[in-house]
């Protein structure tokens, strides 16, 4: 084997490992529905296979980040030979309006559906004005 061929053979496993690492970094953008009412917005994200302990929801003044990892439990001694879904990570981010009160966000996860409720600030909510008879 020539020196060039030996160098190529030495690099190939590293290149395969690098490709595997890039494949592991791939993420899926979960399908999301966003609803608005007078009191705020609700973001519903479909995250099948993500458990509460593998879910990360973060918010600051003007952004919302949703991340989750799918845990596929394999029986001991078994290895997956084929899988339709290659990415096992979800990630989606949103820019939030200044009229939302990010300090009071509530989130719940049920049957793979994450619901994030973000209320509007009081000054942006419609209010009923009492009319007095003079």
């Amino acid at each position: 084997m020539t020196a060039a061929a030996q160098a190529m053979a030495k690099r190939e496993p590293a290149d395969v490992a690098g490709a595997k690492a890039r494949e592991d970094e791939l993420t899926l953008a979960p399908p999301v529905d966003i609803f608005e009412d007078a009191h705020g917005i609700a973001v519903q994200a479909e995250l099948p296979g993500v458990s509460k302990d593998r879910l990360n929801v973060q918010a600051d003044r003007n952004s919302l980040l949703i991340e989750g990892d799918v845990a596929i439990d394999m029986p001991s001694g078994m290895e997956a030979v084929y899988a339709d879904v290659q990415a096992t990570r979800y990630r989606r981010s949103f820019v939030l309006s200044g009229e939302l009160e990010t300090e009071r966000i509530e989130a719940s996860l049920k049957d793979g559906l994450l619901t994030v409720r973000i209320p509007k600030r009081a000054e942006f909510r419609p209010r009923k004005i009492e009319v007095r008879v003079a």
Side-chain angles (χ1 to χ4, degrees):
M1 188 183 286
T2 66
Q6 287 176 345
M8 188 71 118
K10 288 180 183 176
R11 277 189 258 141
E12 187 176 341
D15 292 343
V16 171
K20 179 69 176 158
R22 284 190 299 276
E23 181 180 323
D24 289 341
E25 292 173 4
L26 294 176
T27 59
L28 296 173
V32 172
D33 291 319
I34 301 174
F35 304 96
E36 182 178 9
D37 61 18
H39 303 287
I41 66 168
V43 178
Q44 292 185 329
E46 296 177 22
L47 302 167
V50 177
S51 62
K52 180 183 172 190
D53 59 325
R54 293 183 171 268
L55 181 63
N56 178 31
V57 179
Q58 293 181 359
D60 62 18
R61 278 189 6 211
N62 63 351
S63 67
L64 173 67
L65 174 66
I66 299 171
E67 295 177 310
D69 292 315
V70 176
I72 301 173
D73 295 327
M74 294 293 295
S76 62
M78 296 192 81
E79 182 179 324
V81 177
Y82 175 80
D84 282 330
V85 178
Q86 298 297 317
T88 57
R89 182 169 182 76
Y90 292 104
R91 181 180 169 87
R92 191 90 183 249
S93 61
F94 303 91
V95 175
L96 300 176
S97 166
E99 68 186 56
L100 298 172
E101 198 168 353
T102 56
E103 301 83 34
R104 293 187 39 223
I105 291 180
E106 296 176 355
S108 63
L109 180 67
K110 182 178 180 186
D111 298 329
L113 182 66
L114 172 69
T115 302
V116 180
R117 181 89 176 125
I118 310 171
K120 288 183 181 177
R121 296 187 187 282
E123 60 267 22
F124 291 101
R125 290 186 208 147
R127 59 186 175 94
K128 184 173 174 95
I129 299 171
E130 183 181 335
V131 178
R132 292 181 272 173
V133 177

